[in-house]
Amino acid sequence: MNKKIIKNKNIILCVSGSIAAYKSIYLSSLLVKEGANVQVILTESAKNFVGESSFSGITHNPVITGYYDSKTSLSIDHIDIAKKADVILVAPATANIIAKIALGISSDPIVGSILASKAPVIIAPAMDGDMFKSEQVQKNITELIGFNYYISGPEKGRLASGMNEFGRMSEPDILFEEIISIFSKKKDYEKVEAIVTAGGTIEEIDPVRYISNKSSGKMGIEIAKALRDRGASVTLIHGKIDSAEETQGIKKIFTKSAIEMKNTIDNLVDKCQIIIMSAAVSDYKVKNISKEKIKKDSLDYIQLEKNPDILKGIDGSKIAKVGFAAESENLLINAKKKLSSKDCKIIVANDITLEGSGFGSDNNKAVIVDLDGEESFPLMSKSKLAHKILDRAKKFID
Ligand code: CTP
């Protein structure tokens, strides 16, 4: 982690009214220690939890608390700091401020600054677990993701209510790292053409029934987004996925069956430098798909035949191949076998039996294996893991 990168950066730290506000005092200190110029905006309700003088003492900047109480030498505080900002962080972000940001209700300088700025925005929600899960908050969070804002956390842990749920603000160290990662965001995949596959394929039995699997496509979507953010031109070839995910700037092609996915890949593969196969491809397809709905009395068995192994069939000397290995036992042994049998540069191996990891989850715990060895990662967001995979894969397309 290159901490020096935040030296002299203008960071707006927006603090809204949550018990977690005390953590932001420590965060402001971490940032100032590394030479950042931190400008704090406090909402009225945040003042019930933390004092202006704590922040002004640490940041050596006056704290903005409203539109009309100018404390700086600037002409219009919130606009001036917004124009200069390199990043805006809202931590803690209550349900109230999240809703206001989502709708652009600029009744306080936090929203005013965000609207007036082109800087990246990080939102660190902090609230009761059920509040966070509520439809309204989730809808607003989806809006914010659509604006390309980064959502950090919330984490699972003990809340002010005593409950142990998702609602705790990300720890200051994590937010500090996220700010650094924004500044160090590489464009190291610029001019790279990439294919990512995601989701589960669908093998029809008859017009009503099909065979598929539990894949949500989240991992592949996060990889496609990470590639896009790092400058690549990305085609996401997908089966069944969660369509609510934000995928701006990514070319999406829906393919139903494994054969359709294979044909689509074969048409594109020659102009690409990397393919990351996170799709859960059905190993078998139905031998004789019935045009009519099969009556239940005639459905005693389904005859299957093997699908082609798409990844194996791609020429690994022409494109960097990254495969996945979904395993429930002997993770490393199986991953290494797949690395050589499928002629991949990297295999990302998941233990699908681990709780909170794998299919459908937002998090994943993986081991990345290549010929140089293996690297085991702790449970982390699929978005973070996507970047780890790209960090490792870069050497194969240079
Ligand atoms: N894969 C593929 N075509 C298939 C099956 C899998 O391209 N017909 C790809 C997957 O996208 C993944 C990798 O191969 O990147 C490994 O998939 P996985 O399901 O873990 O292994 P399989 O090869 O299907 O073998 P097994 O089910 O025996 O573990």
Side-chain angles (χ1 to χ4, degrees), residues 277 279 281-283 308-311 323-327 338 342:
M277 259 323 274
V281 183
S282 182
D283 291 316
D309 188 318
I310 303 175
L311 189 56
F324 274 69
E327 307 294 343
K338 283 178 186 167
K342 296 189 189 232

Side-chain angles (χ1 to χ4, degrees), residues 159-177:
L159 304 178
S161 60
M163 313 275 269
N164 194 39
E165 288 178 340
F166 281 96
R168 258 170 89 100
M169 185 177 99
S170 290
E171 290 302 322
D173 294 331
I174 301 283
L175 291 169
F176 180 75
E177 264 183 46

Side-chain angles (χ1 to χ4, degrees), residues 128-148:
D128 164 70
D130 286 327
M131 271 176 90
F132 184 70
K133 278 190 272 178
S134 71
E135 255 183 67
Q136 290 91 329
V137 171
Q138 286 305 308
K139 189 164 167 268
N140 290 332
I141 293 273
T142 306
E143 288 284 323
L144 300 186
I145 293 171
F147 300 147
N148 272 334

Side-chain angles (χ1 to χ4, degrees), residues 192-198 233-238 250-255 259-277 310 313-315 318-321:
V192 171
E193 296 266 351
I195 298 173
V196 180
T197 66
S233 162
V234 191
T235 305
L236 178 67
I237 302 173
H238 65 90
I250 295 169
K251 186 173 176 209
K252 281 162 82 181
I253 303 177
F254 171 67
T255 55
I259 294 289
E260 270 182 47
M261 184 172 273
K262 178 178 164 41
N263 292 340
T264 309
I265 292 173
D266 287 348
N267 281 334
L268 290 172
V269 81
D270 284 345
K271 66 177 184 97
C272 294
Q273 290 82 59
I274 184 166
I275 177 162
I276 305 186
M277 259 323 274
I310 303 175
I314 299 167
D315 184 348
K318 298 202 172 128
I319 185 168
K321 299 198 294 182

